[in-house]
Amino acid sequence: MKRHLRPLGLALAAAGALAAPAVKAQTEEVKKGGTAIIQMKGEQRILNPALRASTGVYYITGKIIEPLIDLSYDGYVPVLATEWSSSEDGLHITLKLREGVNWHDGEPFTCDDVSFTAMNMWKELLNYSSSLQAALESVDCPDPHTAVFNYSKPMPLQLFVAAMPDLGHPVPKHLYEGTDIMQNPHNTAPVGTGPFKFVEYERGQYVIAERNDDYWRGEEYPYLDRIVWRFIEDPSAAAAAIEAGETMESGFIGISLADISRLSEDDRFDVGTKGYENNVAHSTIEFNHRNPILADLKVRQAMYHGLDIDYAIETIMRGFAKPGRGLIPSAGGVNYTDDVTTYDYDPELAKKMLDEAGYPVKDDGFRFKLRHRPAPWGEYTQLWSEYYKQAMAEIGIDVELLQNDAPGFLTGVYRDHDFDTANGWHQFRSDPAVSTTVWLRSGQPAGSPWTNQFGWQDDEVDQLIDDAASELDPAKRAEMYHELQKQSMDKLPVIFAIEHPFISVTSKKLKNHHNTPRWNSSSWYDLWIDQ
């Protein structure tokens, strides 16, 4: 265990060292057929990535519904779009679409599908994307295989392309037009263009997809006959299932970190962070600013001083993490800065600040009470909530934990705002404007998961977010994001407490696994089983 309890940044390297060398020349003869059985630690009851940007959706539907552009270790690669270019002023982006592609029901894929999805889902309904595409005015179709995105403000081509792997999944217009989009039955029975076709979704049990014999990459692909995703929420049961060979992969830290460490010593499994380079996450503390106590910045600062982040990293994350530094993680490249305000663990200072804010300890031993919703995304999110409760008690704050399943959490926090604080993890995807700034930008559609539904609004932050998203000069954009990161630490609308990678445990029977930087969210057209 000692080698897994390494301090902060060193642990990230240690985690990467556990990964199998997934990117290598193919030396084994591919064996076609077979069923890959994948453990899922929770379900969200929606399978449409054009409506919900979420790892839980991509993990399943990324094999069924494809994006326009994906990300490989060599850069961005064509999928349903084959070429992309921008006008000099950044107001028009043109995509050439792949010809000869059919939806799973046999209808042809065309620009009309892209235009309909972009204007009705990406712009209006898709969390993250509604802010990104706010300036999108129209998508023209000069021919069936050309799509022209027209903007009222510049859209950097680099940003547009970076968004497409996660926020660029078209769905069939002919199945959605004229319907109540949010209630459309294809949101849970998806029709796509991908290598696998949806078969069945049994709530609380499994999802099944089978080989698409008409896949556009050719009759060779996909290699597998079938994929089954089994919902196993209990981490001990999930670990037992993969050890017994009942499942072949557990991704996104789907089992306990203790079991991950143990299984990394088992020669039957590849264990590591490879394949998640585009999926770094923050463990968060989210505030409902409608609560006047939490609207007080001094209270939020005091609560941050009451959190021993290094202790949480060592005990909860087993060293596979480092302290967060605000809105953007260190994986953000040039858009990241560590020149920000930090909050050292200092419970005595926290107590003093709470006293000064007007919240002395009362007769019951507490200053005030908070109702806290932990996200059910696995063992470590639950442990993080339990540590948060204990840490707050030490500075005189009584925290009640409200347990809920995934739909209950998403509804309680992001739609009904029935919480005081919450915790989960928030994922960074390539560019701050793709998935991160929506946590601070006001005006997000009500109920959109993982967006600013916290009752917090700041004119300066809103303007910075909007200006950065339309700035064509990468150096100027980086400066704006540095300022946003600083403001996120100064104003603390959300505490981005711990930065961490994800970890997979994968049977070595699976071949070609984790061979892209967003593998668990990708299509798996080249995955095969050695059996």
Side-chain angles (χ1 to χ4, degrees), residues 48-332:
N48 183 349
L51 288 179
R52 180 168 294 172
S54 162
T55 56
V57 177
Y58 302 140
Y59 205 178
I60 296 174
T61 322
K63 292 71 185 152
I64 300 168
I65 298 178
E66 297 176 298
L68 294 172
I69 301 167
D70 208 345
L71 181 63
S72 75
Y73 281 116
D74 295 322
Y76 292 96
V77 293
V79 184
L80 294 180
T82 58
E83 300 175 26
W84 42 89
S85 60
S86 174
S87 61
E88 188 172 344
D89 59 10
L91 297 178
H92 309 281
I93 291 178
T94 300
L95 302 180
K96 291 296 183 181
L97 304 178
R98 189 172 300 278
E99 300 184 30
V101 177
N102 292 327
W103 296 103
H104 292 154
D105 63 2
E107 293 294 316
F109 162 72
T110 70
C111 175
D112 285 342
D113 301 305
V114 175
S115 178
F116 177 84
T117 306
M119 296 305 297
N120 292 280
M121 299 188 200
W122 300 351
K123 179 178 173 64
E124 299 295 334
L125 299 172
L126 177 59
N127 56 310
Y128 307 157
S129 184
S130 56
S131 179
L132 177 75
Q133 301 290 2
L136 179 64
E137 293 191 322
S138 64
V139 180
D140 295 337
C141 296
D143 63 65
H145 297 99
T146 302
V148 182
F149 286 69
N150 303 304
Y151 292 90
S152 59
K153 297 197 304 184
M155 167 61 79
L157 181 61
Q158 178 186 19
L159 169 57
F160 180 92
V161 171
M164 288 300 98
D166 291 301
L167 305 179
H169 294 77
V171 296
K173 176 182 177 180
H174 65 278
L175 296 180
Y176 279 90
E177 188 175 31
T179 73
D180 180 342
I181 289 177
M182 294 302 297
Q183 301 302 319
N184 191 294
H186 293 289
N187 292 335
T188 52
V191 174
T193 62
F196 298 93
K197 300 169 65 171
F198 172 82
V199 174
E200 183 180 3
Y201 179 7
E202 181 68 29
R203 289 283 175 86
Q205 300 296 320
Y206 57 80
V207 173
I208 299 174
E210 293 184 345
R211 187 181 198 274
N212 174 17
D213 292 329
D214 189 34
Y215 188 41
W216 58 265
R217 291 184 190 269
E219 62 181 16
E220 179 182 3
Y221 299 109
Y223 295 140
L224 297 174
D225 287 336
R226 185 179 300 102
I227 304 175
V228 176
W229 295 268
R230 288 183 55 196
F231 299 116
I232 307 175
E233 294 188 9
D234 179 77
S236 297
I242 197 166
E243 281 192 278
E246 297 171 2
T247 61
M248 298 177 180
E249 215 245 355
S250 176
F252 297 103
I253 316 183
I255 61 178
S256 74
L257 284 162
D259 280 325
I260 287 174
S261 296
R262 180 173 57 80
L263 293 176
S264 70
E265 307 291 345
D266 190 321
D267 289 340
R268 296 175 298 165
F269 304 108
D270 290 328
V271 179
T273 62
K274 193 170 185 62
Y276 290 110
E277 288 82 355
N278 199 50
N279 298 120
V280 174
H282 279 117
S283 287
T284 58
I285 296 294
E286 302 152 39
F287 300 103
N288 189 342
H289 294 258
R290 301 169 186 85
N291 181 330
I293 297 174
L294 298 174
D296 187 334
L297 173 59
K298 182 167 281 190
V299 170
R300 302 196 301 275
Q301 291 173 328
M303 292 171 68
Y304 208 154
H305 280 300
L307 294 171
D308 188 343
I309 301 300
D310 288 348
Y311 171 81
I313 287 171
E314 182 174 340
T315 57
I316 297 172
M317 300 305 300
R318 303 290 176 120
F320 289 102
K322 57 186 176 180
R325 291 292 179 258
L327 180 70
I328 300 167
S330 57

Side-chain angles (χ1 to χ4, degrees), residues 251-528:
F252 297 103
I253 316 183
I255 61 178
S256 74
L257 284 162
D259 280 325
I260 287 174
S261 296
R262 180 173 57 80
L263 293 176
S264 70
E265 307 291 345
D266 190 321
D267 289 340
R268 296 175 298 165
F269 304 108
D270 290 328
V271 179
T273 62
K274 193 170 185 62
Y276 290 110
E277 288 82 355
N278 199 50
N279 298 120
V280 174
H282 279 117
S283 287
T284 58
I285 296 294
E286 302 152 39
F287 300 103
N288 189 342
H289 294 258
R290 301 169 186 85
N291 181 330
I293 297 174
L294 298 174
D296 187 334
L297 173 59
K298 182 167 281 190
V299 170
R300 302 196 301 275
Q301 291 173 328
M303 292 171 68
Y304 208 154
H305 280 300
L307 294 171
D308 188 343
I309 301 300
D310 288 348
Y311 171 81
I313 287 171
E314 182 174 340
T315 57
I316 297 172
M317 300 305 300
R318 303 290 176 120
F320 289 102
K322 57 186 176 180
R325 291 292 179 258
L327 180 70
I328 300 167
S330 57
V334 296
N335 293 321
Y336 169 81
T337 179
D338 58 7
D339 181 19
V340 297
T341 301
T342 58
Y343 299 85
D344 294 336
Y345 176 57
D346 191 338
E348 294 307 313
L349 175 60
K351 293 174 185 177
K352 179 181 177 182
M353 294 176 71
L354 290 170
D355 287 338
E356 293 172 349
Y359 299 103
V361 176
K362 295 181 291 189
D363 291 343
D364 63 359
F366 293 105
R367 305 169 187 274
F368 51 81
K369 182 175 182 176
L370 298 175
R371 299 166 68 250
H372 180 84
R373 289 194 182 274
W377 308 147
E379 179 201 48
Y380 75 99
T381 55
Q382 181 65 38
L383 292 176
W384 175 230
S385 72
E386 293 171 359
Y387 168 70
Y388 165 72
K389 174 182 172 70
Q390 295 168 7
M392 292 301 99
E394 291 180 7
I395 60 173
I397 300 174
D398 185 15
V399 174
E400 176 189 4
L401 298 183
L402 307 175
Q403 302 298 338
N404 34 225
D405 60 8
F409 173 79
L410 296 176
T411 298
V413 175
Y414 301 106
R415 191 192 74 182
D416 296 343
H417 311 140
D418 181 22
F419 74 107
D420 294 311
T421 56
N423 79 279
W425 48 258
H426 172 64
Q427 193 171 147
F428 177 80
R429 295 177 171 94
S430 298
D431 187 285
V434 173
S435 62
T436 309
T437 55
V438 292
W439 274 63
L440 304 190
R441 182 61 170 91
S442 65
Q444 303 299 325
S448 293
W450 305 292
T451 68
N452 179 4
Q453 301 292 327
F454 311 130
W456 186 81
Q457 193 273 332
D458 184 283
D459 289 340
E460 184 180 5
V461 168
D462 282 353
Q463 191 62 55
L464 263 173
I465 289 171
D466 294 347
D467 290 347
S470 59
E471 176 55 59
L472 299 180
D473 184 332
K476 291 180 179 179
R477 287 188 81 225
E479 291 177 4
M480 293 177 182
Y481 285 128
H482 295 169
E483 179 59 27
L484 273 171
Q485 190 177 338
K486 292 176 182 179
Q487 295 217 20
S488 71
M489 288 296 283
D490 290 340
K491 298 176 179 179
L492 290 184
V494 175
I495 295 179
F496 297 92
I498 297 173
E499 175 189 332
H500 64 85
F502 292 108
I503 307 170
S504 282
V505 177
T506 310
S507 169
K508 288 184 177 179
K509 291 182 178 180
L510 290 182
K511 302 297 182 179
N512 284 345
H513 70 82
H514 294 90
N515 58 1
T516 78
R518 57 184 303 274
W519 182 80
N520 287 75
S521 299
S522 67
S523 73
W524 295 4
Y525 72 91
D526 59 347
L527 182 67
W528 59 280

